[in-house]
Amino acid sequence: MPIRVMIAEDERLAREELSYLLLQEGDVELLPYATNGRELLEMVDVHDPDVVFLDMKMPELEGAQAARMLASRKQHPLIVFCTAYEEFAIDAFKLYAVDYLLKPTEPKRLVETMQRIRERLVKPKAEPVQTKRTKLLVEDNSRLVVIDPATIVYAVREERYVQIVTQTTTYSTRMTLTQLAEKLLAYDFFRTHKSYLVNLQYVSELEPWFNGAYNLILKGEGRPRIPVSRTSAKDLLKRLEE
């Protein structure tokens, strides 16, 4: 598949030079160019490029501002900044650019940039699909019990044991929380805290706590508030938005 490239550059000579070099790459498809930041935002919506070569200094809306606006979108192209000033390179990487090019563009440097782009555009191999277990064998004190994983509401580590709380019963096992989480990968469980594993299907609401932490409130009566550590909160919010 060709790499769909858009150039955002207001200087004609710089734009033509970059276009010529890009066309030496056999897998590049050049899209219509933009001459300012606002035009770029509109054209990205229309043409859906894989990568934008973006001048950092442009009229109306500068490249750095346009890049921030693109990065805020759920789907956005890779960015390569083009600049005549090497000190802007640090700013480029702060904006998660895949690379930067100094003007005038050196052909060898562009080849390196294109290789980075190809590496970033390669889709990762699909991970093997986790098969949902319909039964989970758990050692509960001196007996072995079979649990339907979908009925597990949460699990909590208490000293040497893990308490597995289902819709109807609580089981006490020596299985670690990490071992339990591995067995439940195909289900919607999340480690909210080093001592808690929660089935997100039973979450009712999040209650802000302090210092960026939260409490999870579960469905049903008599359910405890489950702590969400500050370090886990961001990933949890993403999971709940999926």
PDB file of all heavy atoms in Angstrom, residues 205-210 213-217 225-226 228:
ATOM      1  N   GLU A 205     -20.538   3.547  39.136  1.00  0.00           N
ATOM      2  CA  GLU A 205     -20.039   4.913  38.989  1.00  0.00           C
ATOM      3  C   GLU A 205     -18.662   5.055  39.625  1.00  0.00           C
ATOM      4  O   GLU A 205     -18.204   4.181  40.368  1.00  0.00           O
ATOM      5  CB  GLU A 205     -21.005   5.918  39.614  1.00  0.00           C
ATOM      6  CG  GLU A 205     -21.287   5.691  41.087  1.00  0.00           C
ATOM      7  CD  GLU A 205     -22.324   6.658  41.627  1.00  0.00           C
ATOM      8  OE1 GLU A 205     -21.970   7.834  41.850  1.00  0.00           O
ATOM      9  OE2 GLU A 205     -23.483   6.225  41.828  1.00  0.00           O
ATOM     10  N   LEU A 206     -18.011   6.159  39.294  1.00  0.00           N
ATOM     11  CA  LEU A 206     -16.722   6.503  39.880  1.00  0.00           C
ATOM     12  C   LEU A 206     -16.901   7.707  40.793  1.00  0.00           C
ATOM     13  O   LEU A 206     -17.558   8.683  40.415  1.00  0.00           O
ATOM     14  CB  LEU A 206     -15.693   6.853  38.804  1.00  0.00           C
ATOM     15  CG  LEU A 206     -14.744   5.751  38.370  1.00  0.00           C
ATOM     16  CD1 LEU A 206     -15.483   4.746  37.509  1.00  0.00           C
ATOM     17  CD2 LEU A 206     -13.566   6.324  37.627  1.00  0.00           C
ATOM     18  N   GLU A 207     -16.296   7.642  41.941  1.00  0.00           N
ATOM     19  CA  GLU A 207     -16.396   8.722  42.917  1.00  0.00           C
ATOM     20  C   GLU A 207     -15.003   9.315  43.116  1.00  0.00           C
ATOM     21  O   GLU A 207     -14.092   8.621  43.594  1.00  0.00           O
ATOM     22  CB  GLU A 207     -16.927   8.142  44.237  1.00  0.00           C
ATOM     23  CG  GLU A 207     -17.020   9.122  45.370  1.00  0.00           C
ATOM     24  CD  GLU A 207     -17.492   8.421  46.637  1.00  0.00           C
ATOM     25  OE1 GLU A 207     -16.716   7.589  47.170  1.00  0.00           O
ATOM     26  OE2 GLU A 207     -18.612   8.691  47.081  1.00  0.00           O
ATOM     27  N   PRO A 208     -14.787  10.581  42.741  1.00  0.00           N
ATOM     28  CA  PRO A 208     -13.470  11.191  42.952  1.00  0.00           C
ATOM     29  C   PRO A 208     -13.089  11.154  44.431  1.00  0.00           C
ATOM     30  O   PRO A 208     -13.928  11.402  45.303  1.00  0.00           O
ATOM     31  CB  PRO A 208     -13.658  12.630  42.463  1.00  0.00           C
ATOM     32  CG  PRO A 208     -14.831  12.562  41.544  1.00  0.00           C
ATOM     33  CD  PRO A 208     -15.736  11.502  42.102  1.00  0.00           C
ATOM     34  N   TRP A 209     -11.830  10.833  44.681  1.00  0.00           N
ATOM     35  CA  TRP A 209     -11.356  10.743  46.056  1.00  0.00           C
ATOM     36  C   TRP A 209     -10.404  11.892  46.288  1.00  0.00           C
ATOM     37  O   TRP A 209     -10.779  13.057  46.256  1.00  0.00           O
ATOM     38  CB  TRP A 209     -10.748   9.370  46.305  1.00  0.00           C
ATOM     39  CG  TRP A 209     -10.550   8.989  47.740  1.00  0.00           C
ATOM     40  CD1 TRP A 209      -9.417   8.512  48.319  1.00  0.00           C
ATOM     41  CD2 TRP A 209     -11.531   9.030  48.785  1.00  0.00           C
ATOM     42  NE1 TRP A 209      -9.615   8.263  49.654  1.00  0.00           N
ATOM     43  CE2 TRP A 209     -10.909   8.579  49.966  1.00  0.00           C
ATOM     44  CE3 TRP A 209     -12.865   9.427  48.835  1.00  0.00           C
ATOM     45  CZ2 TRP A 209     -11.561   8.502  51.190  1.00  0.00           C
ATOM     46  CZ3 TRP A 209     -13.528   9.349  50.049  1.00  0.00           C
ATOM     47  CH2 TRP A 209     -12.884   8.893  51.212  1.00  0.00           C
ATOM     48  N   PHE A 210      -9.117  11.644  46.458  1.00  0.00           N
ATOM     49  CA  PHE A 210      -8.165  12.741  46.644  1.00  0.00           C
ATOM     50  C   PHE A 210      -6.860  12.413  45.928  1.00  0.00           C
ATOM     51  O   PHE A 210      -6.561  11.255  45.653  1.00  0.00           O
ATOM     52  CB  PHE A 210      -7.911  13.002  48.137  1.00  0.00           C
ATOM     53  CG  PHE A 210      -7.310  11.824  48.861  1.00  0.00           C
ATOM     54  CD1 PHE A 210      -5.933  11.670  48.977  1.00  0.00           C
ATOM     55  CD2 PHE A 210      -8.141  10.850  49.415  1.00  0.00           C
ATOM     56  CE1 PHE A 210      -5.398  10.581  49.633  1.00  0.00           C
ATOM     57  CE2 PHE A 210      -7.599   9.755  50.081  1.00  0.00           C
ATOM     58  CZ  PHE A 210      -6.224   9.621  50.185  1.00  0.00           C
ATOM     59  N   ALA A 213      -6.989  10.081  42.939  1.00  0.00           N
ATOM     60  CA  ALA A 213      -7.509   8.722  43.135  1.00  0.00           C
ATOM     61  C   ALA A 213      -9.041   8.747  43.055  1.00  0.00           C
ATOM     62  O   ALA A 213      -9.672   9.802  43.093  1.00  0.00           O
ATOM     63  CB  ALA A 213      -7.050   8.169  44.472  1.00  0.00           C
ATOM     64  N   TYR A 214      -9.633   7.543  42.942  1.00  0.00           N
ATOM     65  CA  TYR A 214     -11.093   7.409  42.872  1.00  0.00           C
ATOM     66  C   TYR A 214     -11.535   6.240  43.742  1.00  0.00           C
ATOM     67  O   TYR A 214     -10.718   5.414  44.178  1.00  0.00           O
ATOM     68  CB  TYR A 214     -11.538   7.118  41.427  1.00  0.00           C
ATOM     69  CG  TYR A 214     -11.423   8.265  40.472  1.00  0.00           C
ATOM     70  CD1 TYR A 214     -10.217   8.550  39.833  1.00  0.00           C
ATOM     71  CD2 TYR A 214     -12.517   9.066  40.180  1.00  0.00           C
ATOM     72  CE1 TYR A 214     -10.102   9.593  38.932  1.00  0.00           C
ATOM     73  CE2 TYR A 214     -12.420  10.118  39.271  1.00  0.00           C
ATOM     74  CZ  TYR A 214     -11.215  10.377  38.663  1.00  0.00           C
ATOM     75  OH  TYR A 214     -11.110  11.418  37.776  1.00  0.00           O
ATOM     76  N   ASN A 215     -12.847   6.177  43.943  1.00  0.00           N
ATOM     77  CA  ASN A 215     -13.488   4.979  44.461  1.00  0.00           C
ATOM     78  C   ASN A 215     -14.458   4.481  43.406  1.00  0.00           C
ATOM     79  O   ASN A 215     -15.164   5.279  42.774  1.00  0.00           O
ATOM     80  CB  ASN A 215     -14.269   5.267  45.746  1.00  0.00           C
ATOM     81  CG  ASN A 215     -13.357   5.354  46.951  1.00  0.00           C
ATOM     82  OD1 ASN A 215     -12.361   4.651  47.023  1.00  0.00           O
ATOM     83  ND2 ASN A 215     -13.678   6.224  47.895  1.00  0.00           N
ATOM     84  N   LEU A 216     -14.487   3.173  43.191  1.00  0.00           N
ATOM     85  CA  LEU A 216     -15.484   2.570  42.303  1.00  0.00           C
ATOM     86  C   LEU A 216     -16.688   2.170  43.130  1.00  0.00           C
ATOM     87  O   LEU A 216     -16.548   1.546  44.184  1.00  0.00           O
ATOM     88  CB  LEU A 216     -14.916   1.310  41.647  1.00  0.00           C
ATOM     89  CG  LEU A 216     -14.084   1.433  40.377  1.00  0.00           C
ATOM     90  CD1 LEU A 216     -13.727   0.044  39.875  1.00  0.00           C
ATOM     91  CD2 LEU A 216     -14.823   2.196  39.305  1.00  0.00           C
ATOM     92  N   ILE A 217     -17.854   2.510  42.655  1.00  0.00           N
ATOM     93  CA  ILE A 217     -19.083   2.069  43.308  1.00  0.00           C
ATOM     94  C   ILE A 217     -19.712   1.009  42.414  1.00  0.00           C
ATOM     95  O   ILE A 217     -19.953   1.233  41.226  1.00  0.00           O
ATOM     96  CB  ILE A 217     -20.044   3.253  43.524  1.00  0.00           C
ATOM     97  CG1 ILE A 217     -19.359   4.307  44.403  1.00  0.00           C
ATOM     98  CG2 ILE A 217     -21.347   2.773  44.168  1.00  0.00           C
ATOM     99  CD1 ILE A 217     -20.160   5.567  44.583  1.00  0.00           C
ATOM    100  N   ARG A 225     -16.989   0.151  48.463  1.00  0.00           N
ATOM    101  CA  ARG A 225     -16.310   1.035  47.518  1.00  0.00           C
ATOM    102  C   ARG A 225     -14.922   0.451  47.252  1.00  0.00           C
ATOM    103  O   ARG A 225     -14.203   0.127  48.178  1.00  0.00           O
ATOM    104  CB  ARG A 225     -16.217   2.440  48.094  1.00  0.00           C
ATOM    105  CG  ARG A 225     -17.519   3.224  47.980  1.00  0.00           C
ATOM    106  CD  ARG A 225     -17.407   4.545  48.706  1.00  0.00           C
ATOM    107  NE  ARG A 225     -18.455   5.460  48.301  1.00  0.00           N
ATOM    108  CZ  ARG A 225     -19.713   5.387  48.689  1.00  0.00           C
ATOM    109  NH1 ARG A 225     -20.079   4.416  49.527  1.00  0.00           N
ATOM    110  NH2 ARG A 225     -20.618   6.266  48.281  1.00  0.00           N
ATOM    111  N   ILE A 226     -14.583   0.341  45.971  1.00  0.00           N
ATOM    112  CA  ILE A 226     -13.299  -0.244  45.580  1.00  0.00           C
ATOM    113  C   ILE A 226     -12.314   0.883  45.288  1.00  0.00           C
ATOM    114  O   ILE A 226     -12.599   1.749  44.452  1.00  0.00           O
ATOM    115  CB  ILE A 226     -13.450  -1.135  44.326  1.00  0.00           C
ATOM    116  CG1 ILE A 226     -14.518  -2.209  44.550  1.00  0.00           C
ATOM    117  CG2 ILE A 226     -12.114  -1.741  43.940  1.00  0.00           C
ATOM    118  CD1 ILE A 226     -14.188  -3.215  45.609  1.00  0.00           C
ATOM    119  N   VAL A 228      -9.348   3.013  43.681  1.00  0.00           N
ATOM    120  CA  VAL A 228      -8.622   3.086  42.409  1.00  0.00           C
ATOM    121  C   VAL A 228      -7.403   3.960  42.649  1.00  0.00           C
ATOM    122  O   VAL A 228      -7.544   5.141  42.974  1.00  0.00           O
ATOM    123  CB  VAL A 228      -9.490   3.702  41.290  1.00  0.00           C
ATOM    124  CG1 VAL A 228      -8.713   3.756  39.974  1.00  0.00           C
ATOM    125  CG2 VAL A 228     -10.780   2.918  41.116  1.00  0.00           C
TER     126      VAL A 228
END
